[in-house]
Amino acid sequence: MINQQCYQLGAEPSVIRALFAYGLQQAAVVGPENVYDYSLGNPSIPAPAAVNASILDIVTNTDSIKVHGYTMAAGLGDARSAVAADLEARFALPVKAEELFFTCGAAPALISVIKALAVSPESEILLVAPFFPEYVPFVEQNGARAVIVPPDTAHFQIDLAQVAARITPNTQAIIINSPNNPSGVVYTEATLKALGALLEERAARYGHPIYIIADEPYRELVYGGVTVPFIPCLYKNTVVCYSYSKSLSLPGERIGYVYVPGFAQDGQALYTAIAGAARVMGHVCPPSLMQMVIGRCAGERPDLAAYDENRQLLYNSLTEMGYTCAKPDGAFYLLVKAPNGDANAFSEAARLRHNLLVVPTDGFGCPGYFRLSYCVARDMIERSLPAFRAMIDKGV
Ligand code: PLP
């Protein structure tokens, strides 16, 4: 007998993966220059030079038993100290190495936190739409119920009335992601403070903390002088799930961390439960080489010039053609309203007529829109613009 839920998850490729596979297949037929693939969020800028230099130096000059050996479950002390010092310097917050737990990226970080907070099958975790679609299986396959908060389509901030209507005595946490995938929107300090006040009020009413799980793989990807508030500075019961996948262009290296502030309510116990959850999943001790690299490169930031150029070109071109887009201040995504309201029909017609691959965001809890990942070559964007124009002119 086979677990049917896992079977279904394995059998159905995500829309994103299906479009990506189609793009590869079509490239062989019509030529790669005639396929406009905006499906995947795979970074297109190289990792900072210091990252590659560190890898070479570590592999050449460090005892290979250490480089390829197990580390402590939570990660190397030096690397955790380097990250703690970087966070402390940037956000004026006392961060200790012992409050950090290294993970294989944001996905296992999120799952460990969810598992640690899933105290009964009734435990509820709120997801604010639009959201990364994997949150749903992450929550539902790890002992809790996913409760979806509909999107604020006016500004793509957080609709607090909708959050308030969904908090119950079983609410354990709310997952938020800013800069956001798929909208590219950065939640403002005012939004986050208001959310914090609401959660505090309800936590007092129900007699237990309601945590913010801040999923932050795009924290450093922000443009035009916009700042991304560091949520533990605004709401103490915050757990941060961070990843270097996007910020240092290292998605294949699987490295990130969970930060549980010591000042969070039950912070110590939560940290210990996260360590236990990681153990249950077999997700302890992420790649030692990458931990060492982060130890040296915790202060490295990406050069965002290429993403910023793409962002401006795409946003300006599409809005000029008449498309409505969420204001893209961060990440590398643009969320566009389907001209006639049916994003699936738009995506299908764009694919078949023009080999233009865009992702409808129904699975992100936001029907009627599609996502463009602009971590692509600039000339692909330029070549794709006539297809976008033809689509809107045809009124699909
Ligand atoms: N969270 C969000 C919002 C993402 O967009 C992604 C990946 O695209 C992840 C988490 C998973 O990131 P990682 O590669 O670090 O597991």
Side-chain angles (χ1 to χ4, degrees), residues 105-108 110 132 135 177 181 215 217-218 243 245-246 254 333:
L110 287 161
F132 181 50
Y135 291 165
N177 165 228
N181 173 8
D215 179 24
Y218 303 98
S243 168
S245 291
K246 320 285 175 169
R254 312 309 302 141
Y333 304 110

Side-chain angles (χ1 to χ4, degrees), residues 16-349:
I16 300 173
R17 290 275 160 195
L19 283 167
F20 178 65
Y22 178 85
L24 291 179
Q25 178 200 315
Q26 276 301 95
V29 179
V30 298
E33 70 284 4
N34 296 314
V35 176
Y36 316 116
D37 184 357
Y38 288 99
S39 63
L40 270 193
N42 216 358
S44 58
I45 59 174
V51 168
N52 289 334
S54 299
I55 293 173
L56 285 175
D57 186 50
I58 294 165
V59 170
T60 313
N61 297 316
T62 308
D63 176 0
S64 90
I65 298 293
K66 278 198 180 146
V67 176
H68 303 301
Y70 291 123
T71 65
M72 303 263 291
L76 290 166
D78 287 357
R80 290 154 74 208
S81 296
V83 174
D86 181 59
L87 290 174
E88 189 161 319
R90 289 170 74 192
F91 302 118
L93 204 65
V95 182
K96 298 196 193 72
E98 308 85 75
E99 296 164 349
L100 296 166
F101 190 93
F102 271 22
T103 60
C104 298
L110 287 161
I111 295 172
S112 308
V113 178
I114 291 164
K115 227 174 164 54
L117 291 172
V119 295
S120 83
E122 281 76 45
S123 295
E124 291 170 350
I125 310 254
L126 270 53
L127 310 179
V128 179
F131 53 79
F132 181 50
E134 296 301 287
Y135 291 165
V136 176
F138 288 177
V139 171
E140 291 185 343
Q141 299 301 314
N142 287 288
R145 291 185 51 227
V147 177
I148 291 173
V149 179
D152 150 26
T153 49
H155 305 103
F156 289 96
Q157 293 287 316
I158 301 175
D159 187 333
L160 291 175
Q162 297 282 9
V163 175
R166 283 162 183 78
I167 299 177
T168 74
N170 294 321
T171 306
Q172 287 282 76
I174 179 167
I175 304 181
I176 61 174
N177 165 228
S178 171
N180 183 263
N181 173 8
S183 72
V185 166
V186 175
Y187 294 149
T188 63
E189 188 168 315
T191 297
L192 295 166
K193 278 187 170 162
L195 174 66
L198 170 65
L199 298 180
E200 252 161 40
E201 184 249 305
R202 294 304 175 90
R205 188 187 300 178
Y206 298 132
H208 63 80
I210 301 176
Y211 294 95
I212 289 182
I213 303 175
D215 179 24
E216 300 200 332
Y218 303 98
R219 188 200 296 146
E220 331 305 346
L221 273 57
V222 63
Y223 314 99
V226 170
T227 47
V228 180
F230 191 55
I231 303 172
C233 297
L234 305 176
Y235 181 70
K236 75 181 174 93
N237 292 329
T238 297
V239 180
V240 174
C241 295
Y242 187 78
S243 168
Y244 295 93
S245 291
K246 320 285 175 169
S247 62
L248 294 185
S249 296
L250 295 173
E253 304 298 350
R254 312 309 302 141
I255 187 78
Y257 60 80
V258 182
Y259 164 48
V260 188
F263 51 73
Q265 194 174 337
D266 302 328
Q268 189 87 56
L270 179 56
Y271 181 96
T272 306
I274 289 167
R279 178 179 168 191
V280 168
M281 292 189 298
H283 260 300
V284 285
C285 176
S288 309
L289 170 59
M290 282 305 129
Q291 293 189 46
M292 291 177 187
V293 170
I294 296 307
R296 294 184 184 198
C297 299
E300 286 293 323
R301 304 285 174 259
D303 175 358
L304 298 176
Y307 290 156
D308 197 11
E309 277 181 20
N310 286 358
R311 173 185 78 108
Q312 296 191 40
L313 173 62
L314 205 52
Y315 178 76
N316 293 338
S317 306
L318 265 57
T319 48
E320 196 184 293
M321 288 177 202
Y323 288 95
T324 304
C325 310
K327 190 165 167 277
D329 287 327
F332 40 49
Y333 304 110
L334 187 66
L335 188 66
V336 187
K337 195 170 182 180
N340 78 353
D342 186 341
N344 287 290
F346 183 97
S347 170
E348 190 63 357

